[in-house]
Amino acid sequence: MVKAFGYRSNGGPEVQEFLDVDVPTPMPGELLVEVRAAGVNPVDWKIRSGMFGNASEGDLPAVLGSEVSGVVRGVGKDVDGFAENDEVFGSVAPGSGAFAEYTLVTAGAAARKPPQVSFNDAATLPVAAATAYDGVTQLGLKEGQTLLINGVGGGVGVAAAQIARDLGLNVIGTGSEDKRAMVETLGATLVPSGDGVADRIRQILPDGVDGIFDLAGGDALRAVAELVSDRTKLISAGDFSVGELGGHPIERDRTSRVLEIVAGLVADGKLDPHVEDVRPLDEAADAVAAVEIGHARGKVVIAVS
């Protein structure tokens, strides 16, 4: 049996608990990974809460966590390019969770970890950095154009700002005032979010922006949508109603190709995942709370072993 952190029913933080689970067996197309680190993301608590639908009885108890780094300890059938003892990172397989001593990873959504990249940094790349890369490249802005990242202070926003900057884009981001110093280190300009945010942006950019990468959704998305005249350059990673505004949900790649690209950016010093908070597995509840409450700056990681 191995230690894991998850839940036995959908709900709030009160349903979370530590679980004893069997070491999983990799199915075809999967890797058994001894976990070194796991990234914590908003999608984790949203799944637990039932926001995307309640889990069926057969899927419970469920282990939390969607992105992971570690060492391959088993290789399923029909897997090419990986072997035992490889250091890897990737997205967990369906029905698996990252907040555990061992987990299963989908081989097609995994990549080898470059030696220059730490396990903690690598664990943040499959969800946050890969989403950031997909979003920035989907917009297809040209060098010198201006990108607004709506909700720049979280893990996806931090990565997106750096990727956009590396492509020669001017970056402006909305977020809380307490994240200004960090955002400015990314080469981006912070505009405080909240009432009047569009007016504050127009004071800097009277003609608006060339593209918007929304990570906030809801009223925060509607508050800034008017700032881009070409709505094909409006995408959202968190609100499917963006289509009502003439924009589009982000199109995710979810393949090893993107993971290799973002890991290469980290290895080359062009992308810093900004892991700001590392907690041991015993403090998994606190790690999830930091993200769920919204107080986290950059990325939160659970170090497993």
Side-chain angles (χ1 to χ4, degrees), residues 153-268:
V156 178
V158 165
Q162 295 174 82
I163 292 168
R165 180 196 63 199
D166 190 53
L167 293 174
L169 303 180
N170 300 314
V171 182
I172 186 169
T174 65
S176 58
E177 183 63 39
D178 64 346
K179 295 182 179 179
R180 179 176 295 278
M182 181 189 69
V183 170
E184 290 178 348
T185 67
L186 308 176
T189 300
L190 179 75
V191 175
S193 52
D195 292 344
V197 62
D199 292 335
R200 289 191 288 276
I201 293 173
R202 287 198 182 277
Q203 290 177 2
I204 303 170
L205 300 164
D207 296 327
V209 298
D210 299 300
I212 297 176
F213 187 0
D214 169 64
L215 304 170
D219 291 341
L221 166 59
R222 286 159 180 75
V224 299
E226 66 184 56
L227 294 167
V228 61
S229 57
D230 181 357
R231 295 300 174 89
T232 67
K233 301 300 183 182
L234 168 64
I235 63 171
S236 178
D239 192 334
F240 288 103
S241 69
V242 67
E244 299 172 6
L245 301 170
H248 304 276
I250 188 174
E251 297 174 3
R252 293 299 315 282
D253 186 298
R254 303 184 190 279
T255 65
S256 300
R257 180 188 71 87
V258 172
L259 295 185
E260 291 167 355
I261 290 172
V262 295
L265 292 174
V266 177
D268 292 341

Side-chain angles (χ1 to χ4, degrees), residues 53-303:
N54 288 327
S56 64
E57 186 173 341
D59 293 330
L60 296 170
V63 179
L64 283 163
S66 49
E67 60 181 356
V68 67
S69 66
V71 181
V72 175
R73 298 305 187 199
V75 179
K77 293 181 180 179
D78 304 321
V79 172
D80 294 321
F82 294 100
E84 290 189 17
N85 299 319
D86 283 348
E87 296 182 345
V88 299
F89 66 103
S91 298
V92 298
S96 299
F99 303 169
E101 293 172 320
Y102 286 84
T103 192
L104 297 176
V105 171
T106 302
R112 283 195 181 88
K113 182 185 75 65
Q116 309 96 312
V117 180
S118 70
F119 281 111
N120 285 349
D121 282 351
T124 71
L125 302 180
V127 173
T131 299
Y133 180 85
D134 289 342
V136 172
T137 55
Q138 179 183 335
L139 283 168
L141 298 180
K142 298 178 181 178
E143 185 175 353
Q145 290 189 302
T146 299
L147 170 65
L148 169 62
I149 300 174
N150 195 35
V152 72
V156 178
V158 165
Q162 295 174 82
I163 292 168
R165 180 196 63 199
D166 190 53
L167 293 174
L169 303 180
N170 300 314
V171 182
I172 186 169
T174 65
S176 58
E177 183 63 39
D178 64 346
K179 295 182 179 179
R180 179 176 295 278
M182 181 189 69
V183 170
E184 290 178 348
T185 67
L186 308 176
T189 300
L190 179 75
V191 175
S193 52
D195 292 344
V197 62
D199 292 335
R200 289 191 288 276
I201 293 173
R202 287 198 182 277
Q203 290 177 2
I204 303 170
L205 300 164
D207 296 327
V209 298
D210 299 300
I212 297 176
F213 187 0
D214 169 64
L215 304 170
D219 291 341
L221 166 59
R222 286 159 180 75
V224 299
E226 66 184 56
L227 294 167
V228 61
S229 57
D230 181 357
R231 295 300 174 89
T232 67
K233 301 300 183 182
L234 168 64
I235 63 171
S236 178
D239 192 334
F240 288 103
S241 69
V242 67
E244 299 172 6
L245 301 170
H248 304 276
I250 188 174
E251 297 174 3
R252 293 299 315 282
D253 186 298
R254 303 184 190 279
T255 65
S256 300
R257 180 188 71 87
V258 172
L259 295 185
E260 291 167 355
I261 290 172
V262 295
L265 292 174
V266 177
D268 292 341
K270 296 180 178 180
L271 173 61
D272 180 353
H274 279 262
V275 175
E276 303 293 336
D277 190 358
V278 180
R279 307 287 183 97
L281 183 58
D282 287 343
E283 297 178 14
D286 293 332
V288 174
V291 174
E292 186 167 0
I293 295 170
H295 291 168
R297 298 173 183 168
K299 286 290 295 186
V300 178
V301 165
I302 295 173

Side-chain angles (χ1 to χ4, degrees), residues 29-42:
E30 295 179 346
L31 304 171
L32 172 64
V33 172
E34 183 179 358
V35 179
R36 292 289 185 267
V40 184
N41 296 281

